[in-house]
Amino acid sequence: MLHRSAGNTPLHRLLLPILPLLFIAVGCAGTAITEDRALKHDPPGHAVFLEYGRRNEPMKPGMNRRAFNTVGSSAGAIADQPDPGIVRIEPGTCRITGFSQLIFAPSPDATSTPRPEPGYCILYDRRFENDRTRMVANALAIGDTAESANGVPSRFDTITRFDEATEICLGHQSGRKVEGLYLTHVDGDPAGPSYNRPFAQLTIVRLGD
């Protein structure tokens, strides 16, 4: 009878029993690398900025920048607020939703305050703030038209990719005749509804790289 020594056993026969273990090890390593990349380059997160009615802030003719005074919620380093009217977003793809609302509160002794025109909000890159034409042309989002006199908010919903850290602002305009219009308004009662409701909100949710 012919016997074959272990030293002469073909290599593929030696590897057969351990091949499943090798595939499992490679698969686990690949999953770990993918998860590590996700944590480094695609961190989950969100941020919510609000502007509550803490004072009477009259509307000015033309574009008015909202000034967020409260962080409603935040998770992950996706955005911060270097200034009440500026939000800095880190690179990545984000869904951004929000609204801006005005209130019409003419002086009680005013007899002929004109009814304000409808307006809208606009989310824009701060670099174009002093150039109205470029601001609108490069707008990140423009809200729907809203009846300013009736307190109807202008809302928007957009998905945007930022290739670099970018400072954004939310503005609102309602034409030139803005007498009696306010960005925020309080009724004098710190516990009243106007003091504890937002007149503007910006919600940022990171979707990925």
Side-chain angles (χ1 to χ4, degrees), residues 72-194:
S73 177
S74 179
I78 67 166
D80 62 1
Q81 193 175 16
D83 180 88
I86 301 171
V87 173
R88 181 170 52 222
I89 298 183
E90 295 302 317
T93 301
C94 297
R95 179 181 181 183
I96 308 177
T97 61
F99 71 86
S100 176
Q101 178 185 13
L102 306 179
I103 187 169
F104 186 47
S107 173
D109 57 0
T111 57
S112 59
T113 302
R115 185 180 178 85
E117 300 175 354
Y120 62 87
C121 67
I122 178 172
L123 186 69
Y124 61 91
D125 189 318
R126 187 192 176 206
R127 291 175 297 179
F128 306 125
E129 187 166 47
N130 295 322
D131 187 330
R132 176 66 182 276
T133 300
R134 295 183 66 193
M135 177 198 295
V136 174
N138 295 278
L140 301 173
I142 296 179
D144 48 11
T145 302
E147 283 290 343
S148 303
N150 295 332
V152 178
S154 174
R155 302 180 182 275
F156 66 90
D157 188 337
T158 187
I159 295 177
T160 303
R161 173 174 173 76
F162 299 94
D163 294 323
E164 59 184 0
T166 305
E167 292 185 341
I168 64 173
C169 303
L170 180 62
H172 198 126
Q173 74 87 29
S174 190
R176 307 298 300 179
K177 300 177 180 179
V178 294
E179 183 181 355
L181 271 181
Y182 290 82
L183 289 162
T184 60
H185 192 274
V186 295
D187 55 15
D189 181 5
S194 65

Side-chain angles (χ1 to χ4, degrees), residues 31-111:
T31 300
I33 292 172
T34 301
E35 290 178 351
D36 182 63
R37 287 177 177 172
L39 289 173
K40 289 183 179 179
H41 302 291
D42 187 20
H46 71 271
V48 181
F49 302 95
L50 305 107
E51 182 178 13
Y52 281 98
R54 299 293 187 247
R55 61 179 181 178
N56 294 336
E57 186 66 37
M59 186 80 171
K60 299 176 182 177
M63 190 63 66
N64 292 246
R65 187 209 285 180
R66 305 294 331 202
F68 302 108
N69 50 29
T70 302
V71 177
S73 177
S74 179
I78 67 166
D80 62 1
Q81 193 175 16
D83 180 88
I86 301 171
V87 173
R88 181 170 52 222
I89 298 183
E90 295 302 317
T93 301
C94 297
R95 179 181 181 183
I96 308 177
T97 61
F99 71 86
S100 176
Q101 178 185 13
L102 306 179
I103 187 169
F104 186 47
S107 173
D109 57 0
T111 57

